[in-house]
Amino acid sequence: KKNFLDLVKRQKEVVEDLIKNRKLSIKNRKYKLITKSFIATCLTRCKEYSDNKMSNVMSNIIKEYLPVLAEHNDYYGIFALTYEYYCGTTSFPQDRVKALKYALIAYEMEEDPDIANTLGYIYYYGGANNGVPNYDLAFKYFSLAFHAGYNIESAYKVADCFLKGNGTPKSERAAYNIVDSLYNYTRN
């Protein structure tokens, strides 16, 4: 009940802040941090469905707010910056070193299996190390993602690591068993 009341209170605070600022030009708006987080969340989610045909206004707001949110240790801002830099967008150019930086911070905050999977990919393909893989860390993060949320993509990469002996002793049997369990999991 307390969490629900806190949520309602925060939502009310965001709405009041939006109303207070809506008559001002975008440049002159002074939003609270919680409102910036809400706006960045909405815009980032809208962007996911816009086929990268995002307006300059949306792009500029994301460019402005995500770094501010990250500076204030806002998990969503850090999470979003991880993928903005990992993929490269109209708001942020691809930069796997920065993606790694934000992914490590986000993972430390939440132990999110999706972030662990992304860390695995960054290390596996050497994205933050001039193309030089770090298979030990890749296997570690793929394994964490696989076991924390049964992330199918991570399970496949763990099997791949076992098959090739990347970051773990080579084991065709372990690779086969993982792929077999994935097949059975997805079949049902």
Side-chain angles (χ1 to χ4, degrees):
K1 184 176 178 179
K2 182 181 183 296
N3 288 342
F4 176 73
L5 293 176
D6 287 343
L7 176 64
V8 170
K9 182 180 173 186
R10 286 194 310 270
Q11 288 176 336
K12 182 180 178 206
E13 185 178 347
V14 168
V15 170
E16 287 171 350
D17 198 27
L18 288 169
I19 290 169
K20 182 179 91 178
N21 281 282
R22 76 175 164 192
K23 292 183 181 175
L24 301 172
S25 69
I26 290 175
K27 283 185 183 178
N28 294 325
R29 294 179 184 177
K30 303 289 184 215
Y31 292 116
K32 295 177 181 179
L33 186 62
I34 191 170
T35 307
K36 289 178 181 180
S37 181
F38 170 79
I39 291 169
T41 302
C42 291
L43 292 178
T44 303
R45 297 218 190 281
C46 290
K47 188 176 70 173
E48 290 172 9
Y49 302 104
S50 69
D51 300 320
N52 288 330
K53 294 177 185 169
M54 193 169 46
S55 74
N56 287 338
V57 172
M58 289 172 72
S59 181
N60 289 336
I61 290 172
I62 289 171
K63 273 187 212 178
E64 180 184 344
Y65 288 169
L66 289 183
V68 171
L69 295 171
E71 286 172 20
H72 287 85
N73 292 320
D74 178 89
Y75 176 74
Y76 181 76
I78 294 167
F79 179 91
L81 276 174
T82 297
Y83 292 105
E84 292 285 324
Y85 282 121
Y86 184 76
C87 299
T89 65
T90 55
S91 301
F92 297 90
Q94 187 179 55
D95 185 331
R96 297 285 167 86
V97 173
K98 287 182 181 177
L100 175 63
K101 170 189 161 185
Y102 287 112
L104 288 168
I105 294 167
Y107 188 76
E108 188 176 303
M109 292 172 85
E110 291 287 329
E111 295 186 1
D112 183 328
D114 290 329
I115 292 285
N117 186 59
T118 300
L119 284 163
Y121 273 100
I122 291 170
Y123 286 121
Y124 193 89
Y125 293 105
N129 193 24
N130 295 319
V132 178
N134 183 331
Y135 292 125
D136 292 341
L137 287 174
F139 181 76
K140 171 187 169 180
Y141 283 105
F142 284 136
S143 296
L144 287 167
F146 170 48
H147 293 293
Y150 204 77
N151 183 308
I152 293 172
E153 188 177 0
S154 294
Y156 160 75
K157 291 307 289 180
V158 168
D160 182 55
C161 287
F162 275 121
L163 187 64
K164 296 175 182 172
N166 289 339
T168 187
K170 187 173 182 172
S171 174
E172 289 182 8
R173 178 176 290 212
Y176 171 82
N177 287 337
I178 291 169
V179 171
D180 186 56
S181 70
L182 283 173
Y183 171 76
N184 290 324
Y185 176 78
T186 57
R187 200 174 101 194
N188 296 327

